[in-house]
Amino acid sequence: GGSDVPYVSHLLAVAALVLEDGGDEDDAITALCHDAVEDQGGDETLAEVRRRFGDDVAGAVALLSDSRGGPKGPWTERKRLLLAQLDGPDVPEGVLRVAAADKLHNARTLLVQLRQEGPRAWGRFVATPAQFVWFYRSVAAILAERHPGSANAAELERVVDELAVWV
């Protein structure tokens, strides 16, 4: 994300948020692996996740991925796909829990960067500020409906409202 903070801090933070929001061991493992497929090897990595952690974790990681490695498609197309995956009728609660934690951590991180650097922090992203807020607001709406009672989902809504002020 354009900072000196090691990437593993994001994975650990997401796992911590998941556990604090009622997640179990599989949810925490999913949190630690949630970006692996889209950023670290696609279907081959998904097969390794399945081998090491089982079908439930692999299925959750697949639902949290907006691409399967290789060249990524257009940002808006990938985000619409992810929204459809999260809004599917049989999405496990653990997937929603990890999505809430992931998006909350990402949004909070951006908010900190905006406070420190001002609007130039938006330059780290492919998406425009308005697209970013649209996507995160859309995720928050799905989570509010599908994962009510989640502290992370509620906090995501608040943080997105604050980000929208920057737009």
Side-chain angles (χ1 to χ4, degrees):
S3 78
D4 294 331
V5 178
Y7 176 69
V8 71
S9 71
H10 170 65
L11 302 176
L12 294 171
V14 172
L17 287 167
V18 162
L19 291 169
E20 292 167 3
D21 201 33
D24 62 17
E25 182 179 352
D26 278 355
D27 295 339
I29 293 168
T30 299
L32 292 169
C33 297
H34 78 273
D35 282 338
V37 171
E38 63 190 51
D39 293 338
Q40 300 294 323
D43 286 331
E44 189 174 306
T45 298
L46 185 60
E48 182 65 14
V49 169
R50 185 176 315 282
R51 186 186 71 73
R52 289 182 181 214
F53 306 113
D55 290 340
D56 290 345
V57 170
V61 169
L63 285 170
L64 291 160
S65 301
D66 68 12
S67 61
R68 292 288 179 96
K72 292 185 177 183
W75 186 89
T76 303
E77 188 177 298
R78 290 185 293 115
K79 298 313 172 192
R80 287 188 193 281
L81 170 68
L82 185 57
L83 291 170
Q85 289 172 188
L86 292 177
D87 204 23
D90 299 321
V91 175
E93 184 177 9
V95 169
L96 300 173
R97 187 176 287 114
V98 174
D102 175 38
K103 301 314 176 217
L104 174 58
H105 188 258
N106 288 342
R108 280 181 176 166
T109 299
L110 175 56
L111 195 54
V112 167
Q113 292 170 344
L114 285 165
R115 289 177 184 149
Q116 292 173 344
E117 304 170 29
R120 75 170 190 228
W122 291 111
R124 291 187 178 98
F125 300 95
V126 173
T128 67
Q131 288 172 318
F132 188 94
V133 169
W134 158 79
F135 173 65
Y136 279 71
R137 198 175 296 286
S138 298
V139 171
I142 290 169
L143 295 170
E145 180 182 321
R146 306 284 312 278
H147 192 45
S150 165
N152 290 335
E155 179 66 4
L156 177 61
E157 287 185 85
R158 190 195 66 71
V159 172
V160 172
D161 286 345
E162 197 169 339
L163 285 173
V165 172
W166 286 89
V167 176

